[in-house]
């Protein structure tokens, strides 16, 4: 049973990484689940304090993931239309373009990074924002998106480190 839990923990970390980038998959909570899977093995356990701290960090990052992109957009003069456009641009950049066979750059990095930026710009323009302010808002939305994504990826890397360390200790 331990081996199954450890394999699931590795799979969950991979899903957590995917969820850190693709909207709709809660990457941070999924990554935390990997810690719990390792903890539930008979051969390894984390301290309750460690699990509580990592759980609290998970909750804070999950909340900030919703706050930071909106803050970035508003800080740079954006509107709700820009924030919505950024999200739609991300989805189009990650899911729609590759599905159509349009992968620009290595691993579709253009869609991943360019989608939120151009989506925010298009959203602002559709909301009636002037061109220079729309570009400024798009930049703020992009910075907010990158900040939120970076927080989630760093958390998943830390969780991944502890999971791999536990697996090495078991074997």
């Amino acid at each position: 049973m331990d081996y199954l839990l450890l394999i699931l923990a590795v799979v969950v970390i991979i899903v957590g990484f995917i969820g850190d980038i693709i909207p709709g998959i809660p990457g941070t909570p999924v990554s935390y689940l990997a810690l719990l899977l390792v903890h539930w093995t008979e051969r390894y356990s984390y301290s309750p304090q460690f699990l509580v701290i990592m759980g609290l960090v998970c909750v804070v990052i999950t909340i900030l993931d919703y706050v930071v992109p909106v803050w970035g957009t508003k800080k740079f003069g954006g509107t709700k239309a820009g924030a919505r456009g950024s999200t739609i641009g991300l989805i189009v950049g990650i899911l729609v373009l590759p599905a159509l066979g349009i992968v620009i750059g290595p691993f579709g990095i253009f869609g991943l990074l360019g989608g939120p930026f151009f989506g925010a710009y298009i959203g602002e323009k559709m909301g009636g924002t002037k061109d220079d302010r729309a570009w400024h808002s798009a930049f703020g939305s992009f910075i907010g998106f990158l900040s939120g994504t970076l927080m989630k990826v760093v958390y998943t890397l830390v969780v991944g480190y502890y999971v791999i360390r536990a697996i090495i200790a078991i074997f």
Side-chain angles (χ1 to χ4, degrees), residues 42-64:
E42 292 181 12
R43 296 182 184 178
Y44 199 88
S45 67
Y46 299 107
S47 72
Q49 296 88 354
F50 175 76
L51 290 174
V52 167
I53 289 169
M54 291 302 285
L56 289 173
V57 171
C58 173
V59 169
V60 168
I61 288 175
T62 302
I63 291 169
L64 285 175

Side-chain angles (χ1 to χ4, degrees), residues 22-37:
I22 296 177
I25 302 172
T28 307
V30 168
S31 298
Y32 182 72
L33 177 61
L35 283 177
L36 295 177
L37 289 169

Side-chain angles (χ1 to χ4, degrees), residues 93-116:
I94 291 176
L95 302 177
V96 176
L97 291 178
L100 297 174
I102 305 169
V103 179
I104 302 170
F107 309 108
I109 196 77
F110 176 77
L112 176 64
L113 299 177

Side-chain angles (χ1 to χ4, degrees), residues 22-151:
I22 296 177
I25 302 172
T28 307
V30 168
S31 298
Y32 182 72
L33 177 61
L35 283 177
L36 295 177
L37 289 169
V38 170
H39 180 72
W40 293 332
T41 64
E42 292 181 12
R43 296 182 184 178
Y44 199 88
S45 67
Y46 299 107
S47 72
Q49 296 88 354
F50 175 76
L51 290 174
V52 167
I53 289 169
M54 291 302 285
L56 289 173
V57 171
C58 173
V59 169
V60 168
I61 288 175
T62 302
I63 291 169
L64 285 175
D65 186 42
Y66 292 100
V67 174
V68 169
V70 173
W71 175 82
T73 301
K74 290 186 177 190
K75 184 75 174 168
F76 284 81
T79 64
K80 287 182 182 181
R84 284 188 210 117
S86 179
T87 302
I88 292 168
L90 175 65
I91 293 167
V92 168
I94 291 176
L95 302 177
V96 176
L97 291 178
L100 297 174
I102 305 169
V103 179
I104 302 170
F107 309 108
I109 196 77
F110 176 77
L112 176 64
L113 299 177
F117 180 79
F118 290 109
Y121 174 77
I122 291 168
E124 289 293 343
K125 289 303 288 176
M126 290 178 72
T129 305
K130 295 185 186 219
D131 200 45
D132 60 334
R133 188 167 173 206
W135 284 115
H136 204 255
S137 170
F139 182 72
S141 177
F142 180 69
I143 294 298
F145 163 76
L146 282 183
S147 299
T149 301
L150 180 65
M151 284 187 303

